[in-house]
Amino acid sequence: MPDTLTITDNRTGKTYEVDITNETISAMDLRKIKVHDDDFGMMTYDPGYTNTASCSSSVTYIDGDKGILEYRGYPIEQLAEHCDFQEVAYLLLHGELPNASQLAEWTDSLKMHTMVHENIKEQMASFRYDAHAMGMLISTVASLSTFYPEAKKVHCAENRMIQAKRLIAKVPTLAAYAYRHSQGHPYNYPKNNLSYTENFLHMMFKMSDNPYKPEPALVRALDVLFILHADHEQNCSASVMRAIASSEADPYSALAGAAAALYGPLHGGANEAVLNMLRTIGDVKNIPDYVAKCKDGVHRLMGFGHRVYKNYDPRATIVKKCADDVFKVTGRNPLLDIALELEKIALEDEYFVKRKLYPNVDFYSGLIYQAIGLPVTMFPVMFAIPRTVGWLAQWQELMEDDERRIQRPRQVYLGERKRDFVPIDQRG
Ligand code: CMC
C-alpha cells in the first residue's frame, strides 16, 4: 500500500486521497480537485520552482541544510581530494568511477575532439575587441550545432555520447580563444599530450615560441575548481538545459541556452560580480557601509546566499583552502583581506544569520581566477567549462527518462478577457 495524503477541499467539503511517492505528490493528482465538473482542476503555484521537483535524478545529491554535496553518491570533498576533472566527468556521465583502462580510454577519446573547425576561429575573430568572453562562448557553442547536424539524432545513445565528448573537449578551446581574442593575441591550438587543465592553461597563456609549463599547483587548483563546479543538480542553467532538450533540440543549442542562463549575476556570473564588488568596496574600512546597504536592499552581497544551501556551501570551504594553495605560488591577492573581513562581518550580522545566508562557491573562486591572471570577464566562462559536464549528464539522463515530456509549465492567468477590438482612432 503506498503512503497517501488526504486533502479536504473546504469549498466543497469533498475529501481526496493522493499517493505519496518519494516524499512527493504528483501535481496531476490535484487536477481532480474541482468545485464544478467543468472546472480545469487544482494546480500548484510555485514561481521560481522553490518547492517543485521537475524530474527524478541520480546524478547529484544535495542536502542544503546539512551542507552536503555528492556526485553519484561520492562526497565532493573526497572527489576534490583524489580525482582529476576528467575522472569526475566520467563519473558524472557514466554513473561509476572509471577503472584505469576506462579512464585512459576516456581521456584519449576527449583529446580526439579538442580542435574546432577553422571557420569557428574566423567567427570568433569577427567579435568586437571588447566582446564579453561569455557572449562569445554562448554564440560559438550554438554555432557548433551547424557543424555537427547529426547531433539532432538525440534518441541514439551512441550519437549522444559522441556529441558529449565533443562538447567537453571543445568548450575549453572556445573559452581560450575568447580570451586570446580579448587580448588581441593569436589563438593557441590545443596540445593533446597535456592534461585537460594543463592544455587549457597552455591555450590561454602560451606566448610565441617561449616554452610554457603551467605551474603544477595552478593545474591542481584548476582541477579542484572544475570538479567543484561540474554539477549542481536542478539549478537554473541545468533546468534550462533540460527545458530546451525536452523539445528534442540538439545538445549544442541546448547547451548554449544553459550557458546563457549561467551568465546572469545571480547564477554563474556571481563570481565576476563578487570581484567587482570587492573592488568597489576597495578597503576594509568601507565594509560596514557596504553591508548596511545590502541590508537596506540597495544591492546584494554577491557570493552570499543560495536557494538550496541554508548552511555553509561545502564547495566554498574547499575553494577557500584552494585559494591558500594558489596564493602560495602567485602571491596573496590583496582583495582577500576584504573578502575575509566581509565574510566575518556578514556571518555575525543578524540579517544574514536570520536568513541563513552563507558564502557560496562564487565568493572565493574569483580571487583564485584573478591570481591565475584571468580578467573578470572570463570568470563565468571558468564556471561554464566544467558545468558543461553537468549539463550533459542532466541531458543524458533526461533523454533516457521514460517520464520525459516537453517542458511546458502552466500559468495563473490574471489578465483581461473577452474584450472587443477598438479601432485605433477610437482608443483613448
Ligand atoms: N545579499 C543580501 N540579501 C540577500 C542575499 C544576498 N546575497 N541573498 C538573499 N538575500 C535575502 C533576500 O533579500 C531575501 O530577504 P527577505 O526575506 O527579507 O526578502 C532573503 O534573503 C531570501 O532571498 P531570496 O532572493 O528569496 O533567495 P533565493 O533562493 O530566491 O535566491 C540567490 C538565491 C543565490 C539568487 C540569492 O541568495 C542571491 O542573489 N545571492 C547573490 C548572488 C550569488 O552569489 N549567486 C551565486 C549562487 S551560487 C553559484 C550557483 O550555483 O549559481
Side-chain angles (χ1 to χ4, degrees):
M1 274 290 284
D3 286 337
T4 59
L5 179 73
T6 302
I7 303 170
T8 303
D9 185 343
N10 293 324
R11 299 170 301 177
T12 58
K14 280 192 204 157
T15 293
Y16 303 83
E17 205 165 291
V18 293
D19 289 347
I20 300 174
T21 313
N22 299 321
E23 301 291 305
T24 59
I25 58 165
S26 161
M28 279 306 286
D29 281 350
L30 302 179
R31 279 277 186 89
K32 58 189 173 195
I33 303 177
K34 299 177 178 189
V35 175
H36 306 290
D37 285 348
D38 58 353
D39 282 353
F40 182 77
M42 185 74 79
M43 292 191 295
T44 56
Y45 178 62
D46 189 8
Y49 309 117
T50 50
N51 197 38
T52 296
S54 60
C55 62
S56 329
S57 180
S58 312
V59 181
T60 292
Y61 173 79
I62 301 176
D63 183 327
D65 292 327
K66 297 197 181 111
I68 294 172
L69 169 61
E70 296 168 359
Y71 294 161
R72 302 284 189 185
Y74 293 100
I76 192 69
E77 293 79 6
Q78 291 184 24
L79 295 173
E81 189 179 343
H82 299 294
C83 297
D84 75 358
F85 174 66
Q86 294 181 98
E87 202 173 348
V88 171
Y90 183 100
L91 170 69
L92 282 167
L93 276 160
H94 295 85
E96 298 296 335
L97 282 167
N99 63 29
S101 68
Q102 285 167 330
L103 182 58
E105 202 181 308
W106 172 245
T107 52
D108 278 354
S109 63
L110 290 182
K111 283 174 182 173
M112 298 216 349
H113 295 291
T114 50
M115 295 280 279
V116 294
H117 194 287
E118 288 290 289
N119 289 5
I120 285 279
K121 231 173 78 178
E122 282 165 33
Q123 186 186 331
M124 294 199 98
S126 70
F127 282 103
R128 265 177 63 131
Y129 68 97
D130 59 351
H132 195 287
M134 197 64 178
M136 294 173 72
L137 180 74
I138 292 165
S139 37
T140 44
V141 166
S143 301
L144 286 179
S145 78
T146 66
F147 289 83
Y148 304 108
E150 74 278 15
K152 288 183 174 34
K153 290 186 223 146
V154 292
H155 295 290
C156 169
E158 197 187 336
N159 182 52
R160 280 203 307 271
M161 189 50 86
I162 293 170
Q163 310 313 326
K165 286 179 185 168
R166 280 197 177 125
L167 273 158
I168 296 167
K170 289 185 201 309
V171 164
T173 311
L174 298 179
Y177 282 10
Y179 168 72
R180 300 287 292 194
H181 177 80
S182 71
Q183 302 296 303
H185 291 153
Y187 306 159
N188 285 322
Y189 286 116
K191 210 168 168 195
N192 287 338
N193 61 345
L194 301 176
S195 78
Y196 192 85
T197 41
E198 274 178 323
N199 173 49
F200 177 64
L201 289 170
H202 155 81
M203 290 189 291
M204 293 284 291
F205 297 122
K206 163 92 170 63
M207 297 302 284
S208 65
D209 287 340
N210 300 338
Y212 175 75
K213 177 89 189 104
E215 186 63 55
L218 299 189
V219 174
R220 181 63 204 147
L222 215 49
D223 264 304
V224 171
L225 286 171
F226 280 4
I227 290 168
L228 299 181
H229 287 86
D231 192 52
H232 215 228
E233 50 117 313
Q234 308 313 315
N235 53 79
C236 177
S237 55
S239 304
V240 169
M241 181 82 193
R242 282 182 179 259
I244 299 176
S246 76
S247 76
E248 305 188 354
D250 71 83
Y252 301 95
S253 304
L255 205 128
L262 187 77
Y263 191 6
L266 300 189
H267 191 8
N271 49 17
E272 182 178 355
V274 169
L275 233 283
N276 290 332
M277 174 185 78
L278 296 176
R279 283 175 174 158
T280 304
I281 295 173
D283 196 293
V284 171
K285 70 174 188 319
N286 300 329
I287 293 176
D289 184 44
Y290 196 88
V291 170
K293 288 201 175 110
C294 289
K295 291 174 3 185
D296 289 344
V298 177
H299 40 227
R300 291 203 154 192
L301 187 56
M302 300 312 287
F304 258 71
H306 199 277
R307 169 62 60 78
V308 180
Y309 292 120
K310 300 303 168 199
N311 200 324
Y312 212 97
D313 182 336
R315 301 169 298 173
T317 314
I318 304 170
V319 175
K320 214 171 159 184
K321 157 91 186 48
C322 189
D324 290 337
D325 297 341
V326 169
F327 296 157
K328 276 183 204 143
V329 177
T330 60
R332 196 178 152 90
N333 188 329
L335 292 174
L336 179 66
D337 292 328
I338 300 177
L340 288 170
E341 185 61 18
L342 194 54
E343 178 185 340
K344 188 166 153 279
I345 291 179
L347 289 181
E348 287 165 359
D349 191 297
E350 203 219 325
Y351 174 95
F352 296 92
V353 174
K354 206 173 108 198
R355 290 170 179 76
K356 299 187 177 169
L357 301 171
Y358 292 89
N360 59 50
V361 70
D362 288 319
F363 192 66
Y364 286 104
S365 60
L367 292 173
I368 302 181
Y369 297 140
Q370 199 188 36
I372 292 176
L374 296 169
V376 286
T377 50
M378 278 299 286
F379 293 5
V381 173
M382 298 302 286
F383 197 148
I385 297 170
R387 188 52 64 85
T388 295
V389 171
W391 291 327
L392 291 165
Q394 300 288 339
W395 171 61
Q396 290 276 35
E397 191 175 61
L398 173 81
M399 296 314 295
E400 284 163 15
D401 189 342
D402 293 339
E403 294 186 49
R404 171 175 49 84
R405 301 184 69 183
I406 187 165
Q407 284 202 20
R408 205 307 185 184
R410 293 279 176 176
Q411 64 171 5
V412 178
Y413 181 73
L414 299 177
E416 303 279 356
R417 290 285 323 276
K418 293 187 175 164
R419 299 206 282 180
D420 285 328
F421 177 78
V422 182
I424 194 160
D425 55 351
Q426 292 170 28
R427 291 176 212 160

